Amino acid sequence: MNESNSQTEARRGLFISFEGIDGAGKSTHIDGLASAFREQGRAVTLTREPGGTPLAEKLRAMVLNDPMDPLTEALLIFAARRDHLKQVIEPALLRGEVVLCDRFTDATFAYQGGGRGFDLDVLRTLEAWVQIRDDGHGEGLLRQPDLTVWFDLPPETAAERLAGARVPDRFESQPVEFFRKVAEGYAARAAADPDRFARVDAAQERHKVWQQITSHFVRRGLLAIMVASRGGPA
Ligand code: TYD
């Protein structure tokens, strides 16, 4: 790759999401990846869903704490996503940044679709409304992450990790059967879009999970091997 090509590549926005059931241990690895990309000279936007903007964070607090019916829950999550895309994600990608997003729409299909059993066709309609973007030629494209790191973990292991950790929210307080359905929801999304998903076995020790993640990034040409091998959670 010559100098000008590598500069073009460096400026291209990169949208990466992180998914998995509660207790899968995403957070430290997301921070590690932010450091690794910064070490490579990339600007990084670290964000999360539901949330990421002042409005979306207010909606997050409601979704996580207030009782509501499943359609209200889905609408609030997609309303938060719309604001987040408009205010944070799309502008950061336009600036050529790396956007690391703790959960995105796959979580809605897994939690609301799988866990709650909400109508997947309604979710697909909302996804199309909220994530439509102009390709610059008047054609509508669906915004999806370029890569989704999927922390796959047996629900029983996740439940052991979460037990007594903190006051549970409306999702964390669900029984293990709920998380079994969430996990099936993630597996279905991954099967439908295998190129986008990078599965990691999240039951392994933390440094082994980091190795799995970085080898996905190195293989896809997103991280240099030296940066990947130095970084990572302690
Ligand atoms: P999470 O991302 O795990 O944050 P924290 O580590 O602070 O608990 O919590 C967000 C919760 O919201 C999680 O239980 C999954 C749920 N959720 C949905 O149900 N649907 C969605 O679309 C998203 C993005 C999250």
Side-chain angles (χ1 to χ4, degrees):
M1 190 184 282
N2 67 32
E3 177 76 5
S4 67
N5 272 350
S6 70
Q7 281 176 359
T8 311
E9 186 63 23
R11 278 197 299 269
R12 213 168 52 102
L14 191 60
F15 182 21
I16 302 169
S17 64
F18 299 84
E19 298 285 359
I21 59 175
D22 288 270
K26 296 172 273 115
S27 311
T28 50
H29 296 295
I30 298 174
D31 291 342
L33 283 168
S35 304
F37 275 110
R38 286 183 180 126
E39 216 179 303
Q40 287 197 167
R42 298 292 304 255
V44 175
T45 291
L46 260 182
T47 189
R48 68 171 180 182
E49 290 217 343
T53 70
L55 173 62
E57 289 291 331
K58 285 186 206 163
L59 296 173
R60 175 190 177 93
M62 295 176 197
V63 168
L64 296 192
N65 300 306
D66 298 347
M68 62 186 73
D69 84 283
L71 176 58
T72 308
E73 185 176 291
L75 290 171
L76 290 183
I77 287 170
F78 273 110
R81 182 160 301 135
R82 177 74 181 175
D83 193 54
H84 190 209
L85 276 165
K86 286 268 172 196
Q87 306 292 337
V88 173
I89 296 175
E90 296 292 357
L93 293 175
L94 214 56
R95 292 192 300 269
E97 295 184 12
V98 178
V99 177
L100 302 181
C101 191
D102 188 347
R103 301 189 185 282
F104 194 63
T105 304
D106 298 310
T108 316
F109 280 84
Y111 279 78
Q112 281 63 51
R116 301 249 193 258
F118 189 73
D119 189 335
L120 295 180
D121 282 336
V122 175
L123 296 183
R124 279 188 208 99
T125 302
L126 293 171
E127 179 185 39
W129 278 2
V130 165
Q131 289 159 237
I132 203 80
R133 67 191 171 96
D134 193 342
D135 71 344
H137 307 285
E139 293 288 321
L141 292 177
L142 201 63
R143 170 65 75 194
Q144 293 290 12
D146 299 300
L147 173 65
T148 296
V149 181
W150 171 32
F151 291 74
D152 194 14
L153 185 73
E156 296 76 14
T157 312
E160 281 167 26
R161 286 187 186 175
L162 282 180
R166 58 183 171 188
V167 180
D169 61 37
R170 285 177 65 236
F171 298 101
E172 291 162 343
S173 58
Q174 293 291 324
V176 75
E177 184 49 38
F178 175 86
F179 288 103
R180 205 164 288 129
K181 288 187 273 175
V182 174
E184 284 167 14
Y186 276 127
R189 285 286 277 189
D193 200 354
D195 292 342
R196 175 165 67 83
F197 276 79
R199 180 190 171 274
V200 299
D201 175 0
Q204 295 194 358
E205 286 170 48
R206 197 173 277 183
H207 75 275
K208 292 205 175 126
V209 175
W210 174 253
Q211 280 169 5
Q212 292 178 62
I213 295 170
T214 51
S215 70
H216 278 296
F217 280 73
V218 170
R219 217 177 309 133
R220 287 170 189 250
L222 300 175
L223 278 184
I225 198 151
M226 287 310 293
V227 174
S229 56
R230 270 200 307 274

